[in-house]
Amino acid sequence: MEQAYVAINSGDSEENNNPNTDNLLRAQRKMQLRNVILVGIVFMLLSSASQTSSTVETIVIDSVHDQYFNGTSTLGYKLLAVLNGVIAGSVWISQTMVANIGPKYGMLIGGVCYCIFVSTFIRPLVSTLFAGVVILGVGQAVLWTSEGVFLSLNSDKETIGRNSAVFWALYQTSLLWGNFYFFYKMNGAETIDDVTRYWIFGALVVLAGAGTFLIMALKYPVPKLVPHSINADGSVKVESAEVKSRGLVDSIRCSLRLITTKRMLFAMWTFIYIGLEQTFWSNVYDSSLGYTKKFGTHIADSLVGLSGVFVGIGEILGSIIFGLADTRFPRMGRDPVIICGFVSHMVAIFLVFINIPNAAPLGATFDDGFIHPSFQLALFCSVLFGFGDSAFNTQLYSYLGEMYAADSVPAFALFQFIWGLTCCGAFFYATVLHLYIQLLILAIIGSIATITFCKLEWDYKKTRIPFLQSERSQLADEGTENLLHNE
């Protein structure tokens, strides 16, 4: 029978009065939370290095002019376009790798690739920069596919919302450390000299190395029983949620089958929007601030790093608020959070529209926006972008982790594929489109993504009730001895 709903067995003590089961469940969730916190710290360290590099690379590359390399104002966009194109193409390989070697070692491979990428900025060369983004593209596809699977395996239907928020809050603190360090090194400086670049990217390589080393401390989660479909007699068919080994062709086939479902077709609008808005705030917007010389030549470049810090503040604030809301109001659903994120982004888009000059993404400009550029307003927009991004990402990871719990690799791989293609296209059009057109694209796709995701959530709430009623009587009797096993 067609899968209608997948939920992870929580073993809720109100539904199962077996004290041994309760103890096993508490032990299981304790280990799972440890894994979620550790993987959040890993991503915090790795992304402090890579995300800061990606955020500032357009400005940094434009500052290097010597006998070995001559940077341009849009080369950073082209590198990031290639990066995300490689991510999209590598998803199918990453899916096979993760399914066969497991998410832990997939993340380890990704971490090594991050270290290589960051090191290429210490001495920029055209050949090494492009080689670095290709290596990072492969590594990032493996890393994020692994993370999605690992988070799903370490969560159940009671904890997936909380765990998504905990991971996202820890991960997005990466926007604070690296960007604040860049702001500190650039504060008051008019140019990025060689020594400053060495210090900045040398420190980021150390951070990436520390994150890669910490991956070894992760432990594989225990298997879970998940209700997969309804049998003819009305009972719930239960199977184990784990990483299923499959080849490349089978991996592609599994993901392509998902595309034909109505659920995934609706979800893809959210995939696309996340790619567009992250492309914008992670590099285009920050670069626009650096190119807006009406802020003052002594503070424009430093705003690039400071904007990333304020995006991180918004991300962390959103994750905390949404995580607490999920804990306090578990029946609230995901749609109010998505709507909150959408409103946050629309306000930010309007404020950027009036504050930043239209030509800012394409190079240095002394133009005004509709108002004289205000760096306080610009940083407030950064907070709003981060807050809204945390809403979309935490709810999407929660949705995919719960709906595809029995086999989450194809779903997260498909997300990475669509996301990578979208970012690739967005960075290419960022090299030619002015600011106002880019903001219009964000507003239109964001509206569609919000509507379609809310429709998914409303359909989910309707289908969840009969499954919960049927699973209560069955899961209490079906192999609670499988809840725990050693690694």
Side-chain angles (χ1 to χ4, degrees):
M1 179 177 178
E2 181 182 357
Q3 177 179 332
Y5 164 71
V6 177
I8 304 172
N9 176 25
S10 69
D12 197 330
S13 60
E14 293 179 3
E15 300 169 6
N16 188 349
N17 295 321
N18 188 334
N20 292 329
T21 301
D22 292 342
N23 291 334
L24 290 174
L25 182 62
R26 281 193 291 270
Q28 178 191 35
R29 286 181 171 171
K30 182 178 180 180
M31 187 186 73
Q32 289 174 339
L33 182 59
R34 171 192 178 274
N35 277 339
V36 170
I37 292 173
L38 274 179
V39 81
I41 295 173
V42 166
F43 273 68
M44 175 191 70
L45 294 171
L46 291 176
S47 294
S48 289
S50 69
Q51 215 166 51
T52 303
S53 299
S54 296
T55 297
V56 306
E57 71 175 70
T58 301
I59 299 294
V60 169
I61 289 172
D62 189 35
S63 71
V64 182
H65 302 280
D66 55 31
Q67 65 270 34
Y68 304 108
F69 182 80
N70 187 30
T72 66
S73 62
T74 58
L75 179 57
Y77 296 150
K78 295 175 183 177
L79 286 169
L80 290 168
V82 171
L83 166 64
N84 288 284
V86 174
I87 291 173
S90 302
V91 160
W92 310 115
I93 301 173
S94 73
Q95 185 181 171
T96 304
M97 290 178 61
V98 174
N100 287 280
I101 69 175
K104 176 179 178 178
Y105 293 105
M107 284 186 277
L108 187 61
I109 292 172
V112 173
C113 294
Y114 273 54
C115 294
I116 295 173
F117 165 72
V118 176
S119 67
T120 62
F121 290 95
I122 295 176
R123 169 61 269 180
L125 298 171
V126 172
S127 57
T128 57
L129 286 174
F130 276 98
V133 297
V134 170
I135 292 171
L136 178 64
V138 176
Q140 190 165 325
V142 175
L143 186 78
W144 278 98
T145 300
S146 300
E147 182 276 332
V149 174
F150 199 75
L151 183 63
S152 178
L153 292 176
N154 279 282
S155 305
D156 55 45
K157 71 173 181 284
E158 302 294 332
T159 62
I160 184 66
R162 180 204 65 186
N163 288 352
S164 297
V166 168
F167 166 77
W168 202 254
L170 287 169
Y171 160 61
Q172 289 298 351
T173 58
S174 62
L175 289 167
L176 302 181
W177 317 125
N179 283 303
F180 186 77
Y181 182 62
F182 181 83
F183 168 74
Y184 168 74
K185 297 296 292 185
M186 288 302 302
N187 191 24
E190 295 187 24
T191 60
I192 305 172
D193 58 34
D194 289 346
V195 174
T196 301
R197 191 179 68 250
Y198 298 154
W199 274 103
I200 290 172
F201 289 99
L204 296 180
V205 169
V206 172
L207 284 178
T212 303
F213 181 78
L214 188 58
I215 292 172
M216 299 305 298
L218 297 173
K219 293 184 178 180
Y220 275 112
V222 298
K224 301 171 301 215
L225 298 177
V226 298
H228 184 269
S229 59
I230 296 180
N231 296 319
D233 61 359
S235 61
V236 175
K237 178 182 178 182
V238 177
E239 60 182 57
S240 177
E242 54 189 358
V243 181
K244 295 176 172 58
S245 178
R246 52 170 65 94
L248 177 61
V249 175
D250 191 33
S251 297
I252 296 174
R253 188 183 299 117
C254 287
S255 289
L256 291 180
R257 276 201 298 265
L258 288 179
I259 297 179
T260 62
T261 64
K262 177 182 175 182
R263 180 188 301 149
M264 190 56 71
L265 286 173
F266 274 49
M268 280 196 293
W269 285 104
T270 306
F271 300 170
I272 292 170
Y273 179 64
I274 288 176
L276 291 176
E277 54 96 1
Q278 288 187 346
T279 296
F280 184 78
W281 63 254
S282 68
N283 190 276
V284 177
Y285 181 59
D286 291 342
S287 299
S288 298
L289 298 184
Y291 289 145
T292 302
K293 300 308 178 183
K294 280 295 182 73
F295 286 124
T297 56
H298 287 81
I299 66 171
D301 283 349
S302 63
L303 276 179
V304 178
L306 195 58
S307 173
V309 172
F310 277 79
V311 170
I313 292 172
E315 295 274 8
I316 296 167
L317 182 63
S319 299
I320 293 173
I321 291 174
F322 302 140
L324 289 175
D326 184 78
T327 302
R328 297 288 300 273
F329 308 103
R331 298 182 184 276
M332 178 181 66
R334 288 173 273 254
D335 43 316
V337 177
I338 287 291
I339 293 172
C340 183
F342 171 72
V343 172
S344 174
H345 276 179
M346 292 306 105
V347 173
I349 287 171
F350 173 74
L351 294 178
V352 171
F353 173 74
I354 65 174
N355 191 44
I356 306 300
N358 192 28
L362 303 181
T365 176
F366 288 88
D367 294 343
D368 281 326
F370 284 93
I371 63 174
H372 183 77
S374 164
F375 74 88
Q376 295 95 337
L377 187 59
L379 295 178
F380 177 65
C381 290
S382 298
V383 174
L384 292 177
F385 278 124
F387 187 82
D389 183 64
S390 70
F392 278 94
N393 277 277
T394 57
Q395 302 315 296
L396 180 66
Y397 272 85
S398 173
Y399 180 82
L400 294 179
E402 187 166 349
M403 295 304 296
Y404 300 97
D407 185 14
S408 60
V409 175
F412 282 105
L414 185 59
F415 167 46
Q416 287 296 307
F417 176 69
I418 301 298
W419 177 88
L421 282 182
T422 303
C423 292
C424 178
F427 277 118
F428 271 122
Y429 74 56
T431 64
V432 295
L433 293 184
H434 286 76
L435 178 65
Y436 298 161
I437 298 297
Q438 295 193 48
L439 293 176
L440 179 62
I441 293 171
L442 279 177
I444 293 173
I445 302 301
S447 300
I448 298 173
T450 301
I451 293 170
T452 52
F453 191 93
C454 289
K455 179 64 166 60
L456 283 175
E457 181 66 8
W458 297 334
D459 289 344
Y460 162 79
K461 289 177 180 177
K462 293 177 183 178
T463 58
R464 184 171 186 256
I465 296 174
F467 273 85
L468 288 178
Q469 292 173 342
S470 181
E471 76 177 43
R472 285 175 182 173
S473 60
Q474 184 174 356
L475 289 180
D477 302 325
E478 290 215 22
T480 55
E481 69 277 2
N482 290 325
L483 280 172
L484 288 175
H485 79 294
N486 293 325
E487 179 181 358

